[in-house]
Amino acid sequence: MTQVNDPAPNPHATAEEVKAAFDDPKLANLLYHDWEAGTYDEKWSISYDERCISYATDVFNAVAGEDGQPYPTAMELGSGTGFFLLNLMQGGVIKKGSVTDLSPGMVQVALRNAENLGLDVDGRVADAERIPYEDNSFDLVVGHAVLHHIPDVRAAFAEVLRVLKPGGRFVFAGEPTKVGDFYARKLGQITWYLTTNLTKLPVLNGWRRPQEELDESSRAAALEAVVDIHTFDPSDLESMAKGAGAQDVRAVTEEFAAALAGWPIRTFEAAVPQEKLTLRWRLFAYRLWLRLSALDKKLLAKVLPRELFYNVMITGTKRS
């Protein structure tokens, strides 16, 4: 489905636009995500099969439970390529969906993914602080790794509550905690430095991506530092949602051991040619993540403060 009257994607920003984006977080998000839209699923190992269906539904149920499913209507805020919404629909959590994103390129890819999956989804280019839907439109609003891109998170929560029906629920997942973001970025920087320098050695040169690709990734990473506006303390995030008028607010954190291993792995994968990442490697990385995630859930979540974990998830409802 093609969205009407929405702007077209701009995947090739000019140098002037990129320069201006460093002083404009919304422009930075638009340019960065239009730039990334075509390769985003591959970069983050996003799929629409049982692997990601299970992940999305497990994350959703961990914070919101299974009551109320399936939700008749749902909107994803900052949908990207549709990862969270589309996999929740396939998992039976949602019947009909709407994708929204500041990036026209991301909305375009999300709608294409939905069409390929045969899912009932419409989409709009949307600013999270001014959602282009009527009051009381949805039974559920979801988002994954979106709140930390939004300049005014409290205003976004207020808009979410406006478009929710009375008694409707929101669920946001994949948001970086303050502590988690610190160690994830450090691990990523160290891994990028080691990989891009060690692959200069003749014996490892076959593992080196072309320099122009590495330079482009470095420029994207520089812009990524602008688009990632916030990190969150779980208690502060709960306070923002309550301050916007939400009730039954609850934040849960996940991924400590999984993040300590996952960020170096993801960075390594971004720094080497994709053809070097064999099925055997991908299965190893996925199975390691599963084992460490199980360790996080079964043991570490019971003994460590929630602030140490990388991801924070939050849910709440609109007053009936």
Side-chain angles (χ1 to χ4, degrees):
M1 181 184 295
T2 302
Q3 59 275 21
V4 179
N5 298 324
D6 280 343
N10 177 23
H12 305 293
T14 65
E16 291 75 17
E17 288 173 322
V18 172
K19 182 178 179 181
F22 280 90
D23 296 316
D24 185 342
K26 288 187 180 180
L27 177 61
N29 268 288
L30 192 159
L31 296 179
Y32 175 78
H33 289 99
D34 268 2
W35 187 356
E36 293 272 276
T39 58
Y40 196 78
D41 284 351
E42 180 183 56
K43 175 181 177 180
W44 294 103
S45 298
I46 291 172
S47 64
Y48 301 91
D49 53 19
E50 187 56 38
R51 177 177 67 90
C52 282
I53 294 171
S54 295
Y55 172 80
T57 54
D58 287 349
V59 165
F60 184 94
N61 292 336
V63 67
E66 299 183 35
D67 291 345
Q69 298 182 22
Y71 293 85
T73 60
M75 179 195 74
E76 182 169 10
L77 193 69
S79 63
T81 58
F83 157 72
F84 203 35
L85 180 90
L86 302 186
N87 281 312
L88 288 175
M89 292 181 74
Q90 292 191 99
V93 177
I94 297 163
K95 287 186 176 180
K96 176 175 171 49
S98 300
V99 291
T100 67
D101 200 286
L102 189 64
S103 159
M106 288 293 189
V107 174
Q108 190 176 82
V109 174
L111 290 174
R112 184 168 67 238
N113 285 339
E115 183 177 3
N116 291 339
L117 294 167
L119 298 174
D120 186 6
V121 175
D122 59 58
R124 291 297 309 274
V125 175
D127 184 331
E129 297 169 16
R130 293 185 295 275
I131 300 172
Y133 288 96
E134 299 294 326
D135 296 0
N136 309 320
S137 293
F138 300 100
D139 301 285
L140 174 70
V141 173
V142 299
H144 193 280
V146 58
L147 296 180
H148 67 282
H149 293 310
I150 301 171
D152 191 339
V153 177
R154 190 182 293 268
F157 272 128
E159 276 291 274
V160 166
L161 292 170
R162 180 184 65 78
V163 300
L164 276 174
K165 296 177 182 178
R169 178 174 295 279
F170 64 80
V171 173
F172 291 100
E175 300 298 337
T177 63
K178 291 183 181 297
V179 176
D181 181 73
F182 174 78
Y183 61 69
R185 286 190 183 277
K186 290 298 180 184
L187 288 170
Q189 290 166 0
I190 292 169
T191 305
W192 182 266
Y193 175 83
L194 290 174
T195 304
T196 55
N197 280 278
L198 288 174
T199 52
K200 291 178 181 178
L201 299 174
V203 69
L204 295 175
N205 196 250
W207 284 81
R208 185 171 180 81
R209 285 174 60 187
Q211 188 61 45
E212 60 270 20
E213 292 183 11
L214 293 174
D215 291 342
E216 184 171 357
S217 293
S218 295
R219 288 195 297 273
L223 199 55
E224 190 173 15
V226 181
V227 303
D228 291 345
I229 303 171
H230 307 288
T231 56
F232 299 104
D233 177 275
S235 298
D236 291 343
L237 190 58
E238 288 171 331
S239 295
M240 287 185 200
K242 292 175 182 176
Q247 64 179 14
D248 306 318
V249 176
R250 174 174 176 253
V252 177
T253 55
E254 64 170 2
E255 290 196 17
F256 179 67
L260 291 176
W263 277 97
I265 287 172
R266 291 186 193 111
T267 306
F268 170 76
E269 290 176 343
V272 302
Q274 290 301 299
E275 60 268 20
K276 292 292 187 180
L277 303 175
T278 62
L279 177 61
R280 184 177 179 180
W281 164 265
R282 293 187 185 279
L283 287 173
F284 157 75
Y286 177 53
R287 288 167 180 164
L288 176 63
W289 180 84
L290 285 178
R291 292 190 187 101
L292 294 177
S293 293
L295 174 65
D296 288 332
K297 292 174 184 176
K298 294 177 181 179
L299 176 61
L300 299 183
K302 298 176 182 177
V303 298
L304 296 178
R306 66 177 183 169
E307 290 80 9
L308 292 182
F309 289 75
Y310 177 73
N311 281 328
V312 58
M313 307 173 285
I314 187 166
T315 189
T317 60
K318 179 176 181 175
R319 296 184 186 279
S320 299

